[in-house]
Amino acid sequence: MQNEVVSREEWLEARRALLAKEKEATKLRDVVNAARQALPWVKVDKDYAFDTPEGRRSLADLFDGRSQLLIYHFMLGPDWDAGCTGCSFLSDHVDGALPHLNHHDVTWVAVSRAPLDKISAYKKRMGWKFPWVSSFGSDFNFDYHVSFSPEDLAKDKVFYNFTPVLPADANDELPGLSAFYRNDRGEVFHTYSSYARGPEELVGTLMILDRAPKGRNEDSTMNFVRRHDEYEEAAKVPSCCH
């Protein structure tokens, strides 16, 4: 369905009205960002161990000498054949940002519960360079509410996105982003987490599509997305990061 066609003068009037809303949204984003930076922190006292290509590493080790760490909770379970389509879509946007993040004292790491060999194989398939480690055998994913055991999913509710949700609306793995700070004494603090559509602004393709005439042109959240090596064939599974 085509939008209304108007004169240039009418278009300018409508565009200026939209510009006012865009400016409001930009100012609101600044307010939200400031509130995010002002959040209190929680000290991480639990010891977590991760399998990495360099061997077993602690959470503090994942900072790689920097003071800030962003962990993307990538949906790839121990028995999954491939990574989540939506998580893969987001991760396609990471490698180009790494030099800028690292230069600005921020380390990016993806974490999944799949064993390291399965992670490495999928990472090679996708052609990614960002660090990606395994929390297999660790409580990390469960403590940050992105993985759920069969026992969890058998309960009346599970806790996701800071909210009790029905197990039917959950999954054994779900997406998220968590931020951590490490001080000069080596103490680690959890500063922020975001789930569901929270990390959506990290997906540059969506931000570009929002400016296209048809926008995202989707029937449900990201239902058009495929792994980048699957666009020439029908999708094997729907996006799982709805």
Side-chain angles (χ1 to χ4, degrees):
M1 181 177 178
Q2 182 174 295
N3 288 25
E4 181 184 6
V5 178
V6 298
S7 67
R8 173 60 61 178
E9 289 74 19
E10 290 172 302
W11 182 89
L12 283 172
E13 182 179 355
R15 181 61 188 94
R16 290 191 184 103
L18 175 59
L19 178 60
K21 294 182 181 296
E22 289 176 335
K23 289 182 176 181
E24 287 178 12
T26 298
K27 292 176 181 177
L28 178 58
R29 184 179 64 204
D30 291 341
V31 170
V32 171
N33 286 341
R36 183 185 296 118
Q37 300 305 311
L39 275 176
W41 297 352
V42 177
K43 187 177 180 181
V44 180
D45 291 318
K46 193 168 186 177
D47 292 328
Y48 296 106
F50 303 86
D51 290 322
T52 82
E54 294 76 31
R56 296 284 280 180
R57 295 291 185 267
S58 68
L59 180 61
D61 292 331
L62 298 186
F63 283 77
D64 196 24
R66 302 180 182 91
S67 71
Q68 301 166 86
L69 173 66
L70 293 175
I71 287 183
Y72 183 67
H73 303 287
F74 193 114
M75 295 170 63
L76 179 56
D79 57 349
W80 289 33
D81 294 327
C84 163
T85 309
C87 291
S88 300
F89 184 42
L90 183 148
S91 297
D92 280 337
H93 299 77
V94 173
D95 280 349
L98 289 180
H100 308 286
L101 293 174
N102 292 346
H103 181 73
H104 209 53
D105 193 35
V106 176
T107 296
W108 174 282
V109 178
V111 173
S112 300
R113 279 203 312 125
L116 190 61
D117 58 349
K118 183 170 287 190
I119 288 174
S120 299
Y122 188 65
K123 181 179 177 181
K124 181 179 180 180
R125 170 187 163 182
M126 293 289 100
W128 294 326
K129 303 299 182 184
F130 58 80
W132 191 355
V133 304
S134 171
S135 61
F136 186 71
S138 163
D139 293 333
F140 183 77
N141 282 46
F142 298 102
D143 289 349
Y144 287 88
H145 305 289
V146 290
S147 293
F148 303 93
S149 68
E151 293 75 20
D152 292 329
L153 295 173
K155 297 176 183 177
D156 292 337
K157 299 286 180 65
V158 298
F159 191 74
Y160 179 66
N161 201 17
F162 313 105
T163 308
V165 299
L166 295 173
D169 296 326
N171 195 46
D172 58 336
E173 306 290 336
L174 287 172
L177 180 75
S178 291
F180 301 87
Y181 178 78
R182 185 173 185 261
N183 65 20
D184 292 339
R185 294 189 297 275
E187 297 170 315
V188 175
F189 302 87
H190 176 217
T191 67
Y192 175 74
S193 283
S194 181
Y195 303 99
R197 290 183 62 183
E200 188 174 87
E201 289 185 349
L202 279 62
V203 186
T205 300
L206 294 179
M207 304 301 109
I208 295 171
L209 285 174
D210 286 342
R211 276 74 178 170
K214 292 185 178 180
R216 301 185 187 186
N217 196 25
E218 57 189 8
D219 298 319
S220 59
T221 304
M222 297 199 307
N223 75 313
F224 64 92
V225 174
R226 308 290 182 261
R227 298 180 182 90
H228 62 241
D229 62 354
E230 291 179 346
Y231 277 110
E232 297 304 317
E233 58 181 274
K236 296 176 183 177
V237 295
S239 174
C240 40
C241 289
H242 289 181

